[in-house]
Amino acid sequence: MSDLQVVVQEITDEMQAMPNRGEVATYIPELAGVDPNQFALVVVDAQGNVAAGGDADVPFSIQSISKVFTLTLALGKFGDRLWERVGREPSGSRFNSIVQLESEHGIPRNPFINAGAIAVTDAIVAGHQPREALGEILRFMQFLAADDSIYIDHKVAASEARTGFRNAALANYMKSYGVIDGPVDYALGVYFHHCAIAMSCRQLAMAGRFLAHFGANPSTILPVVTPERARRINALMLTCGHYDGSGEFAYRVGLPGKSGVGGGILAIAPGKASIAVWSPGLDVSGNSKRGRLALERLSKRMEWSIFGA
Ligand code: DON
């Protein structure tokens, strides 16, 4: 067994023995019904070695983690022009907050809060039918993970659409400022569906490899994005990836990371590894409770914090 596999298994055992797992999201039945005892941790290192612990092959709802990949796609299409409609500053607010939008003329603080992600999705949809845009997002995920079995959970998407009044409010509000170009329903529909993509930790860690390896997919050596863009996406994940919990995540884990309300986190140790963790119970900011703790222990034991050992 490799040292990495030993550490991953140790942390998995520790997390599975932990009594306080946090509360699962309850706003849709598909998330409310998830067993909070599940836990998975998968690390793919620079050599392509995979270390996996727990429920590594169980698909879960990636939710806001999808925002990393839609941002990557939108930057590919628009380059720096994307920053005319979305900012790059941490919000210090909850993921679905509307408060800053009025004083900031409908421009969302960053691409990872819901408003910012909806604006990014609108950019991807531009000039396409929603179905085409969604197909492009899903195929991108399948390509990055080298796995065609990744799918959209249509029940989750339908529940998101049925309950997504606040997201609809954010989108309409941005539309009133002209920040959303296309039909609000198109951007929202595609947003609800990309949040409903289901992936396992193994698939997610594979999909994140380009961010850990300076923009290139290590198995093909082909660039997905430039090294500069990968570095900048990582910077945004560090500063904004956990909403109002981003400071605490940087303080404790010291790695770029993006959480989802399904309990997943994608974390990147630049030059070293792509890491996916899943534990459905959340903390008060809506980020995975055991997931963050597992990453804190992993980055400490592997000395992977970008701020030094
Ligand atoms: O739009 C929403 O509210 C959800 N589909 C995604 C939110 C989310 O994952 C927030 N992250 N912790």
Side-chain angles (χ1 to χ4, degrees):
M1 228 195 271
S2 71
D3 289 354
L4 180 60
Q5 181 62 52
V6 170
V7 171
V8 165
Q9 193 55 54
E10 251 171 38
I11 294 171
T12 302
D13 294 342
E14 290 164 17
M15 293 300 119
Q16 285 171 336
M18 231 182 91
N20 186 353
R21 286 149 196 215
E23 302 297 321
V24 299
T26 52
Y27 70 100
I28 55 172
E30 290 76 14
L31 293 182
V34 172
D35 173 6
N37 297 316
Q38 295 173 98
F39 177 86
L41 175 61
V42 175
V43 182
V44 185
D45 73 9
Q47 288 70 43
N49 303 310
V50 180
D55 304 300
D57 293 300
V58 176
F60 61 91
S61 194
I62 67 166
Q63 292 289 335
S64 288
I65 304 171
S66 61
K67 297 170 182 175
V68 173
F69 302 97
T70 49
L71 172 65
T72 306
L73 269 181
L75 284 170
K77 285 178 178 235
F78 288 86
D80 281 346
R81 277 187 300 132
L82 188 71
W83 303 121
E84 291 165 13
R85 55 168 111 186
V86 58
R88 299 192 294 261
E89 293 296 341
S91 69
S93 307
R94 281 191 69 73
F95 62 89
N96 55 7
S97 171
I98 201 166
V99 287
Q100 283 158 349
L101 275 183
E102 182 166 24
S103 54
E104 297 176 8
H105 312 290
I107 307 229
R109 271 284 171 101
N110 68 64
F112 294 148
I113 51 172
N114 286 10
I118 294 166
V120 165
T121 301
D122 169 68
I124 295 174
V125 178
H128 300 280
Q129 289 299 313
R131 185 179 289 276
E132 294 166 355
L134 191 59
E136 187 182 0
I137 296 167
L138 183 62
R139 281 192 301 278
F140 186 51
M141 304 296 303
Q142 293 171 335
F143 161 73
L144 291 173
D147 191 334
D148 286 349
S149 70
I150 294 166
Y151 64 97
I152 294 169
D153 185 328
H154 288 280
K155 274 196 173 158
V156 171
S159 287
E160 294 282 341
R162 187 169 43 77
T163 59
F165 300 109
R166 195 178 272 251
N167 285 322
L170 293 168
N172 280 292
Y173 201 66
M174 289 188 288
K175 180 80 182 170
S176 77
Y177 282 98
V179 172
I180 298 281
D181 263 346
V184 165
D185 287 353
Y186 282 19
L188 277 176
V190 174
Y191 171 79
F192 290 140
H193 280 81
H194 72 63
C195 285
I197 291 174
M199 287 169 83
S200 67
C201 273
R202 192 183 302 274
Q203 292 167 331
L204 193 55
M206 291 293 279
R209 288 172 302 170
F210 75 102
L211 291 171
H213 304 299
F214 313 105
N217 184 335
S219 62
T220 59
I221 325 185
L222 290 174
V224 178
V225 296
T226 61
E228 178 183 66
R229 184 156 293 162
R231 191 175 73 237
R232 289 177 159 172
I233 294 170
N234 283 329
L236 288 163
M237 288 170 72
L238 183 80
T239 52
C240 313
H242 282 71
Y243 317 108
D244 48 337
S246 297
E248 186 71 5
F249 189 83
Y251 179 83
R252 292 191 173 277
V253 179
L255 296 174
K258 181 75 209 78
S259 65
V261 79
I265 302 175
L266 173 66
I268 303 297
K272 301 196 174 78
S274 170
I275 308 154
V277 66
W278 174 52
S279 173
L282 307 176
D283 64 17
V284 286
S285 301
N287 302 313
S288 175
K289 187 166 183 167
R290 279 191 307 180
R292 194 200 67 199
L293 191 59
L295 290 170
E296 186 177 346
R297 294 187 183 182
L298 180 71
S299 91
K300 186 161 185 207
R301 287 177 209 177
M302 299 306 294
E303 301 186 352
W304 278 347
S305 166
I306 61 170
F307 302 109

